[in-house]
Amino acid sequence: IDDLLSLSRIEMKAHMSPQGTADLAEVLGNVTDSLQPLARKLGVTIERRLPAGPLEVVGERDELIQVFDNLVENACKYGQSGGKVEIEASLVEPSRSGGPQRVEVAVIDHGPGISSEHLPRLTERFYRADVDSSREKQGTGLGLAIVKHILNRHGTRLAITSAPGAGARFAVTFPL
């Protein structure tokens, strides 16, 4: 019910651009700290690699916490067999045609991976690549839909790469 209400609230603001700024370094630190107990319980370590200093982006802090909380929690639960989740932030230089410098944040697990036929549908409401595993881990099938809607509101997209046996990488790029 909480996930459905959250998704509904996000959809109501879909056409309103975020007005504030958020420091992604602080957001990722908050998410890492809050998910350490879950990671320990699952036998997973969370490693964070960020550039020095703040990573200020246009965005709503609480919504960005929700994005990365969902991504890191999923990586811990579904990539548990890999024993490690990595959170990487890297600066991306502007293209030759100009534009702002950007930061890419990736959440990487080393678990079983996801078959290619599932990748295009992962952000659909209630879609589950593995229904039994999702139920066992108490997934609602709404987490990645929430992520998608928040990122759309922030003018960016989620890029997912994975293959069976190769873990999964969920990445988002923001202009600085």
Side-chain angles (χ1 to χ4, degrees), residues 9-160:
R9 282 190 297 273
I10 292 161
E11 287 178 331
M12 286 179 9
K13 300 189 289 185
H15 302 293
M16 298 168 48
S17 296
Q19 299 300 309
T21 60
D23 177 3
L24 287 178
E26 185 265 331
V27 165
L28 296 170
N30 183 295
V31 167
T32 303
D33 292 346
S34 71
L35 289 174
Q36 284 298 344
L38 173 67
R40 275 193 297 278
K41 178 180 169 191
L42 296 173
V44 174
T45 59
I46 301 174
E47 295 179 5
R48 204 174 49 204
R49 289 188 295 280
L50 310 175
L55 299 168
E56 290 287 328
V57 298
V58 173
E60 302 226 357
R61 178 185 175 277
D62 290 344
E63 288 183 0
L64 294 175
I65 286 174
Q66 191 172 9
V67 163
F68 292 108
D69 190 74
N70 272 325
L71 294 178
V72 175
E73 183 175 346
N74 282 354
C76 288
K77 287 179 176 179
Y78 298 103
Q80 175 182 3
S81 63
K84 176 173 69 171
V85 170
E86 299 169 90
I87 303 170
E88 296 178 345
S90 56
L91 298 175
V92 180
E93 294 302 320
S95 65
R96 291 182 189 170
S97 60
Q101 187 177 33
R102 296 166 300 163
V103 61
E104 179 187 74
V105 178
V107 176
I108 304 156
D109 72 60
H110 300 275
I114 305 163
S115 298
S116 60
E117 69 265 15
H118 296 294
L119 296 178
R121 299 193 60 200
L122 286 179
T123 60
E124 292 178 13
R125 287 183 185 117
F126 304 113
Y127 186 81
R128 298 171 178 179
D130 182 343
V131 175
D132 292 333
S133 177
S134 183
R135 281 193 185 125
E136 175 188 311
K137 294 171 179 22
Q138 300 177 346
T140 63
L142 290 172
L144 291 178
I146 290 168
V147 166
K148 177 182 80 171
H149 283 277
I150 291 172
L151 293 177
N152 284 344
R153 181 166 128 67
H154 283 76
T156 190
R157 302 260 186 264
L158 181 64
I160 306 169

